[in-house]
Amino acid sequence: MGSWEYVFLAYGIVWFALLLYFFLLKRRVRKVEVELSSLRSSGDYQKNA
Amino acid sequence: MEKTMRKGDRGRRIIGSLALCSILLGLYFGLIAAPPDAYQGEAQRIMYLHIPSILTAYLSFFIVFIGSCLFLWKREKRDDILAYSAAEIGVLFTGLTIIEGSIWGKPTWGVWWTWDARLTLTAILFLIFVGYLMLRSLIEDESRGAVCGAVLGIIGFLDIPLIHMSVYWWRTLHQSPSILRPDKLPWENVHPSMLIALSVNFVAFILFYFYLLSLRFRLGEMREEAKALKLYGGS
């Protein structure tokens, strides 16, 4: 393996892992947001009833 | 509350945009603008990732330390959420530091891994905080898990001064610091073109780190709110 191949391997792994974590975190946030809004709306419904 | 959240979202978006710009600049400086090293050749470009990622991991575990101390003192959930969030991201950056170091070590030292003091202590730091995350997810009683996590977070942070001083205290294969040296200023030891590439990448990593931390912290806060709503039925 040449020097540039090691460089690209390192840059590829780092940015792939960081972007993967970022997208998974975004997905976790969105999932909890949906759950929270449904809990809030069901709470409002109970209060109004 | 709503106003604060909107303000937080706007702040996060600004940090995210700045992080994206600095990441692109960092890639340009790290891969194109900076010259190859006289001894290490192109492989030295890995240092533009390696140094910023370990410094980001140190910062992250410092935040774990502060959050854990504050939680043990005041018992406020926000401090625990901050420590837990910082630990998760710190583990990611430490893991990446070990991988980058290993990839750099192969063409430079001729080995992927060696039981050098600094490398071993960094691996221990990684394992301590992987243990922290496992502990937090395994203990069902959340308040007990938070206290145990805070204690482990404080103990784990104490490994960082050992990692930093290991190259002075023991004969190691890992070289002594080029930037954080007590006897020389950074620009006296590193060529300005390399220092610029390193600084830009450091800023990129720090901005991206704070973007991730604020997002992870928000996730923790929303989870707590959801738990409270489930418990009290939204009343």
Side-chain angles (χ1 to χ4, degrees), chain B residues 138-149:
Chain B
L138 289 175
I139 296 180
E140 280 184 23
D141 179 356
E142 277 197 16
S143 55
R144 217 177 120 229
V147 172
C148 293

Side-chain angles (χ1 to χ4, degrees), chain B residues 18-154:
Chain B
L18 288 173
L20 182 65
C21 293
S22 52
I23 287 166
L24 294 174
L25 264 177
L27 287 173
Y28 167 73
F29 277 102
L31 293 173
I32 300 163
D37 184 77
Y39 298 105
Q40 297 171 34
E42 306 294 353
Q44 186 270 338
R45 293 179 193 278
I46 298 171
M47 287 299 117
Y48 303 130
L49 295 177
H50 188 64
I51 298 167
S53 57
I54 191 60
L55 292 178
T56 308
Y58 286 174
L59 172 71
S60 200
F61 295 134
F62 179 65
I63 293 173
V64 176
F65 176 76
I66 297 292
S68 301
C69 290
L70 285 174
F71 176 73
L72 289 178
W73 180 30
K74 294 182 176 175
R75 300 286 164 147
E76 278 186 24
K77 195 67 199 165
R78 277 176 68 91
D79 298 325
D80 177 53
I81 296 172
L82 179 68
Y84 196 179
S85 306
E88 188 178 293
I89 306 171
V91 164
L92 174 70
F93 278 95
T94 312
L96 288 175
T97 302
I98 293 170
I99 293 169
E100 292 150 11
S102 180
I103 296 170
W104 173 86
K106 183 63 183 163
T108 315
W109 294 342
V111 286
W112 293 101
W113 179 263
T114 177
W115 294 104
D116 168 274
R118 182 170 266 193
L119 271 66
T120 308
L121 285 168
T122 310
I124 290 170
L125 180 76
F126 178 72
L127 291 175
I128 289 172
F129 282 96
V130 167
Y132 174 100
L133 297 180
M134 286 171 73
L135 184 88
R136 297 303 305 263
S137 61
L138 289 175
I139 296 180
E140 280 184 23
D141 179 356
E142 277 197 16
S143 55
R144 217 177 120 229
V147 172
C148 293
V151 172
L152 187 59
I154 292 166

